[in-house]
């Protein structure tokens, strides 16, 4: 294992985050703060508790998960797309680095940035609402697992995209709508029976539900199912990345 190569890629990607601090950290935090002002304060003051949790606190896990998914994908996809765009990907191919080490460097940096952002947003949420984390270990576990999984997914998108427009296509047109419809701002028990069943086909529901359970001990679906769905998507992303490097898909042309 070439730890020097992993460290070099990791530190380079992390340095890029500090150079673009406004875009990488401040912008998501400000957007989330506005969500708390609108949904938590304005709307939440007119809503009853959900499963014994105040509405302002209820949306905290969903808001963190929304930013975690989008930022994990954005960080990883942009990180691998830029070497392809600039041509430096060929220098990486010519170096004594295996594809496992390349993925560990890029995905590790993307996941680290997303985890740091998630913790900052967690601290920011405490400024607006009062809440306690019922299962801190599980909360951190869901945070890390989700960040790594969707950073791998972002890596695949970064390899697949052949332009800057496609980098934003799936996060904006697929992931964000699924997150909003996956119980971020509500419990699926509030929906009519038909839509409750339809929502069960939304994979993001299981991420939000499991993460909310770690906070308040309440969930729309079983915690075991949430963990299983996340691990299944992680395995699918790992297999996808393995296929990309095995075939050289859009990495050697």
């Amino acid at each position: 294992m070439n730890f020097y190569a992993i460290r070099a890629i990791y530190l380079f990607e992390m340095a890029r985050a500090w150079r673009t601090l406004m875009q990488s950290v401040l912008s998501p935090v400000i957007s989330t703060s506005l969500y708390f002002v609108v949904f938590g304060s304005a709307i939440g003051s007119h809503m009853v508790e959900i499963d014994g949790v105040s509405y302002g606190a209820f949306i905290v896990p969903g808001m963190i998960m929304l930013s975690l998914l989008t930022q994990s994908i954005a960080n990883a996809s942009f990180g691998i797309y830029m070497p392809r765009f600039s041509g430096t990907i060929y220098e990486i191919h010519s170096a004594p680095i295996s594809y496992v080490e390349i993925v560990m460097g890029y995905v590790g940096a993307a996941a680290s940035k997303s985890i740091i952002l998630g913790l900052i947003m967690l601290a920011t949420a405490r400024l607006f609402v009062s809440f306690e984390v019922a299962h801190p270990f599980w909360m951190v576990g869901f945070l890390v697992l989700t960040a790594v999984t969707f950073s791998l997914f972002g890596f695949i998108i970064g390899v697949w995209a052949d332009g800057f427009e496609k980098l934003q296509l799936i996060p904006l047109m697929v992931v964000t709508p699924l997150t909003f419809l996956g119980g971020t701002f509500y419990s699926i028990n509030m929906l009519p029976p038909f839509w409750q069943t339809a929502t069960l086909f939304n994979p993001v529901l299981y991420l939000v539900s499991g993460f909310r359970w770690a906070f308040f001990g309440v969930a729309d679906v079983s915690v075991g199912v949430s963990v299983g769905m996340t691990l299944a998507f992680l395995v699918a992303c790992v297999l996808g990345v393995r296929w990309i490097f095995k075939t050289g898909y859009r990495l050697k042309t």
Side-chain angles (χ1 to χ4, degrees), residues 232-248:
F233 190 54
L234 173 63
V235 172
C237 290
V238 169
L239 294 177
V241 171
R242 183 177 182 274
W243 177 83
I244 286 173
F245 280 94
K246 184 178 180 180
T247 61

Side-chain angles (χ1 to χ4, degrees), residues 15-225:
R16 181 167 57 83
W18 306 134
R19 292 194 302 269
T20 58
L21 194 64
M22 181 70 72
Q23 177 183 354
S24 301
V25 178
L26 294 183
S27 178
V29 170
I30 292 174
S31 300
T32 303
S33 299
L34 293 176
Y35 277 118
F36 280 120
V37 171
V38 174
F39 289 93
S41 300
I43 299 178
S45 60
H46 299 284
M47 293 190 64
V48 296
E49 294 182 346
I50 301 178
D51 295 330
V53 182
S54 67
Y55 184 74
F58 184 84
I59 66 174
V60 170
M63 291 305 308
I64 296 176
M65 189 60 65
L66 172 62
S67 295
L68 193 70
L69 299 186
T70 55
Q71 291 300 312
S72 296
I73 293 174
N75 291 331
S77 61
F78 189 81
I80 190 60
Y81 177 78
M82 283 308 297
R84 294 178 55 234
F85 178 77
S86 62
T88 56
I89 189 69
Y90 300 112
E91 298 178 4
I92 297 176
H93 284 320
S94 63
I97 311 173
S98 68
Y99 83 89
V100 175
E101 294 156 356
I102 295 174
V103 172
M104 289 179 65
Y106 283 108
V107 172
S112 297
K113 288 183 281 188
S114 300
I115 293 170
I116 292 172
L117 178 62
L119 295 176
I120 293 175
M121 293 178 60
L122 181 64
T124 303
R126 294 280 299 186
L127 302 176
F128 296 91
V129 293
S130 177
F131 60 89
E132 299 294 334
V133 180
H135 307 283
F137 175 80
W138 281 99
M139 187 274 289
V140 175
F142 268 109
L143 193 71
V144 174
L145 183 61
T146 304
V148 173
T149 300
F150 278 82
S151 293
L152 281 168
F153 185 51
F155 188 92
I156 295 173
I157 294 175
V159 174
W160 165 77
D162 55 8
F164 287 99
E165 298 82 5
K166 285 190 176 181
L167 287 179
Q168 300 296 325
L169 181 63
I170 293 181
L172 291 179
M173 301 299 294
V174 179
V175 176
T176 299
L178 287 178
T179 305
F180 275 93
L181 298 174
T184 299
F185 299 107
Y186 56 87
S187 170
I188 65 170
N189 296 324
M190 303 168 65
L191 301 174
F194 172 78
W195 291 109
Q196 289 187 31
T197 304
T199 306
L200 294 177
F201 292 93
N202 183 350
V204 179
L205 167 69
Y206 301 94
L207 303 176
V208 175
S209 178
F211 198 51
R212 183 171 286 132
W213 174 86
F215 276 76
F216 309 118
V218 297
D220 292 322
V221 295
S222 170
V223 178
V225 175

